[in-house]
């Protein structure tokens, strides 16, 4: 498949590179720290990106523009490449930009798009996702959080618990999947609500400390949290189709973008292996070569998938989102004539999840015993300092679990693509 960058893409690259060079990223944090000072700097960076028009590249412009630039698929990849080249900070606003915004463009009404999309594009409002619950992680249709409607003004009161909520402490809003129809079961009777997080006494966020010592994930407790009736996306009780539409865009062009970061991580591991002499060990050298080859295959697979959807890969429009990759059941039974690429998002998740976890293992393996030592002397005041390789090793242990575990992805492929008998539930 031809994935050449055209003259327009190279002009876009020059513009992106010039902007990033004029906005030094070394003043902003690049790690995963969740300290308040770090969060303030990350929010400031989001506003800088928004001011430059770099948030929302490739958004569907059918309903208008919201302060962002128009960009083709290849230009979105160009921006990701330049962003990675500049060593720019990890994003806080990606959930609103890449998940909620396309969902509102597809399922929201004009008032909702006008209210919520401009602040996302400006980098002013941050979002988190209220899907998973303690008893409804892989089985999303089992959510028990409920939203009761007040008889007077129609306000929704949300009560329940969400878990594994990324950036809940930093978020201004949360899109919540909640049960609004009394007595409903499974994917029936669910609604998609936009809930403000700043509700003391009604919304409580508890960080979940991870192996890395940081806490990107959180528990969120809703105790009668208020949601305006105008902030219901889609029809009441029909939130399942909205939720599935959101999960469909979760595996869009981001697959290619993600691989740019993977390539940088792999380069660092290879350099470390050469510096330590670990690359002279035949088995380890073969493992590094295997990682490189598999990363190439993942890229080609992503390009093939985008091309097979009927989207021109070079200079064409933003691709139509792939089918849902959620671990939850599909909105309707799979057709016997399911297209060949119906399971492509699940295949991609299986590929990169295992690949990244193996890279984390190699990152510490090439350093030998020295990988057990922290970058600085541990003290009572700083008891848990890790370097980049150690964080990669520990954080990537979860890659085959979050976003749909490997087991769930295999079930999706088996049932929806291969048409094998469904697992007993």
């Amino acid at each position: 498949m031809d994935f050449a960058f055209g003259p327009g893409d190279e002009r876009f690259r020059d513009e992106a590179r010039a902007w990033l060079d004029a906005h030094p990223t070394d003043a902003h944090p690049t790690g995963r720290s969740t300290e308040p000072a770090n969060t303030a700097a990350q929010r400031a960076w989001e506003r800088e990106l928004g001011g430059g028009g770099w948030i929302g590249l490739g958004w569907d412009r059918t309903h208008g523009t919201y302060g962002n630039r128009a960009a083709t698929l290849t230009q979105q990849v160009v921006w990701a490449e330049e962003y990675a080249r500049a060593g720019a900070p990890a994003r806080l606003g990606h959930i609103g930009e890449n998940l909620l915004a396309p969902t509102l463009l597809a399922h929201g009404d004009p008032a909702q798009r006008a209210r919520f999309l401009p602040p996302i594009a400006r980098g002013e409002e941050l979002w988190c996702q209220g899907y998973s619950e303690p008893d409804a992680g892989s089985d999303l249709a089992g959510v028990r959080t409920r939203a009761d409607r007040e008889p007077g003004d129609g306000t929704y009161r949300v009560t329940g618990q969400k878990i594994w909520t990324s950036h809940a402490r930093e978020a201004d809003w949360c899109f919540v999947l909640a049960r609004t129809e009394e007595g409903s079961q499974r994917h029936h009777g669910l609604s998609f609500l936009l809930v403000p997080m700043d509700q003391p006494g009604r919304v409580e966020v508890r960080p979940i400390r991870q192996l890395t010592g940081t806490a990107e994930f959180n528990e969120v407790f809703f105790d009668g949290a208020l949601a305006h009736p105008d902030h219901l996306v889609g029809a009441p009780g029909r939130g399942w189709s909205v939720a599935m539409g959101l999960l469909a865009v979760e595996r869009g062009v981001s697959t290619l973008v993600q691989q740019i970061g993977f390539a940088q991580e792999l380069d660092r591991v290879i350099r470390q292996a050469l510096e330590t002499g670990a690359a002279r060990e035949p088995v380890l050298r073969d493992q590094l070569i295997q990682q490189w080859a598999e990363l190439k295959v993942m890229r080609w697979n992503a390009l093939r998938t985008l091309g097979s959807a009927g989207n021109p890969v070079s200079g064409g429009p933003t691709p139509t989102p792939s089918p849902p990759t959620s671990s939850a059941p599909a909105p309707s039974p799979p057709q016997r004539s399911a297209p060949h690429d119906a399971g492509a998002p699940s295949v991609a998740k299986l590929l990169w999840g295992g690949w990244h976890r193996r890279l984390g293992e190699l990152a510490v393996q090439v350093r030998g015993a020295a990988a057990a030592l922290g970058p600085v002397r541990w003290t009572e005041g700083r008891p848990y300092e890790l370097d980049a390789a150690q964080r990669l090793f520990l954080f990537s242990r979860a890659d085959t679990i979050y976003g749909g575990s490997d087991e769930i992805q295999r079930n999706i492929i088996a049932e929806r693509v291969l048409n094998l008998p469904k697992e007993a539930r």
Side-chain angles (χ1 to χ4, degrees), residues 32 96 114 117-118 159 201 204 220 279 281 314 371:
R32 292 182 175 271
L117 294 181
T159 302
E204 180 186 358
V220 181
E281 202 279 309
S314 180

Side-chain angles (χ1 to χ4, degrees), residues 27 46 113 116 132 142 146 165 189 215 221 238 343 349-350 394 412 416:
E46 291 292 325
R113 291 191 286 265
F116 292 108
S132 295
R146 70 178 192 275
T165 307
F221 296 86
R238 300 295 181 89
K349 176 59 170 64
L350 281 173
L394 292 173
I412 291 173
R416 303 182 190 179

Side-chain angles (χ1 to χ4, degrees), residues 247-422:
L247 289 171
V249 302
E250 196 170 9
R251 303 280 193 265
V253 72
S254 59
T255 301
L256 285 168
V257 173
Q258 177 190 54
Q259 291 165 12
I260 296 168
F262 285 174
Q264 290 186 322
E265 290 178 333
L266 177 59
D267 286 344
R268 287 193 290 268
V269 173
I270 292 174
R271 286 197 303 269
Q272 185 82 52
L274 293 171
E275 292 169 2
T276 62
R280 291 192 296 268
E281 202 279 309
V283 174
L284 182 57
R285 185 169 62 248
D286 285 349
Q287 290 175 317
L288 291 170
I289 294 171
Q290 183 73 15
Q291 287 292 112
W292 176 87
E294 290 178 1
L295 184 59
K296 291 293 184 183
V297 170
M298 283 194 288
R299 178 177 175 81
W300 293 330
N301 183 63
L303 294 173
R304 179 191 62 83
T305 301
L306 291 173
S308 67
N311 300 289
V313 176
S314 180
T318 303
T320 301
S322 303
T325 60
S326 165
S327 55
S332 58
Q335 300 298 313
R336 301 301 295 182
S337 58
H340 173 70
D341 283 333
S346 292
V347 171
K349 176 59 170 64
L350 281 173
L351 289 174
W352 75 252
W355 184 92
H356 202 225
R357 188 174 69 177
R358 291 191 296 277
L359 181 66
E361 294 167 353
L362 282 171
V364 295
Q365 189 176 348
V366 299
R367 296 171 57 189
L373 300 176
V376 297
R377 184 178 179 83
W378 290 7
T379 65
E380 185 176 352
R382 301 175 66 183
Y384 205 75
E385 294 291 325
L386 299 173
D387 60 29
Q390 291 165 334
R391 285 194 299 270
L392 173 61
F393 169 70
L394 292 173
F395 196 88
S396 62
R397 307 310 296 171
D399 282 342
T400 56
I401 301 173
Y402 69 77
S405 68
D406 280 9
E407 292 80 5
I408 293 297
Q409 304 303 337
R410 291 189 178 99
N411 277 355
I412 291 173
I413 295 168
E415 295 177 3
R416 303 182 190 179
V417 181
L418 303 179
N419 294 316
L420 295 177
K422 284 193 174 184

Side-chain angles (χ1 to χ4, degrees), residues 37-245:
N38 188 79
T39 299
Q42 287 178 301
R43 292 191 75 116
W45 176 244
E46 291 292 325
R47 292 192 294 272
E48 281 193 54
L49 289 172
W54 297 107
I55 296 177
L57 300 180
W59 281 357
D60 181 2
R61 300 170 77 86
T62 302
H63 304 289
T65 61
Y66 303 94
N68 53 312
R69 301 165 185 256
T72 64
L73 171 61
T74 47
Q75 288 170 347
Q76 293 172 62
V77 175
V78 164
W79 167 251
E81 289 178 340
E82 292 304 312
Y83 195 88
R85 178 197 63 83
R91 294 287 310 281
L92 270 185
H94 65 93
I95 295 176
E97 177 186 8
N98 298 324
L99 297 184
L100 179 66
T103 302
L104 290 182
L105 288 167
H107 300 278
D109 60 37
Q112 291 167 348
R113 291 191 286 265
R115 163 60 185 87
F116 292 108
L117 294 181
I120 293 175
R122 293 193 299 266
E124 294 175 353
E125 288 185 347
L126 303 178
W127 287 79
C128 61
Q129 176 176 336
Y131 273 20
S132 295
E133 299 182 6
D135 294 319
S138 295
D139 183 15
L140 183 60
V143 298
R144 295 188 296 181
T145 293
R146 70 178 192 275
D148 301 316
R149 194 165 190 182
E150 293 291 311
D153 59 6
T155 296
Y156 288 94
R157 290 186 175 271
V158 182
T159 302
Q161 178 188 357
K162 299 294 181 177
I163 198 168
W164 308 121
T165 307
S166 300
H167 301 306
R169 286 187 290 172
E170 298 85 14
D172 304 295
W173 289 80
C174 181
F175 49 89
V176 177
L177 192 62
R179 198 164 294 282
T180 54
E181 309 300 314
E182 188 70 29
S184 62
Q185 295 182 350
R186 304 300 298 161
H187 58 275
H188 301 288
L190 295 171
S191 294
F192 191 100
L193 291 164
L194 311 179
V195 181
M197 293 291 285
D198 186 15
Q199 299 191 52
R202 299 182 186 274
V203 179
E204 180 186 358
V205 178
R206 299 179 189 173
I208 301 173
R209 191 68 58 183
Q210 299 148 210
L211 285 172
T212 54
T214 58
E216 290 86 5
F217 303 117
N218 306 269
E219 295 177 285
V220 181
F221 296 86
F222 297 102
D223 187 7
L226 304 179
H228 196 280
D230 291 343
H231 296 165
L232 171 75
V233 181
R238 300 295 181 89
W240 183 254
S241 60
V242 180
M244 292 297 98

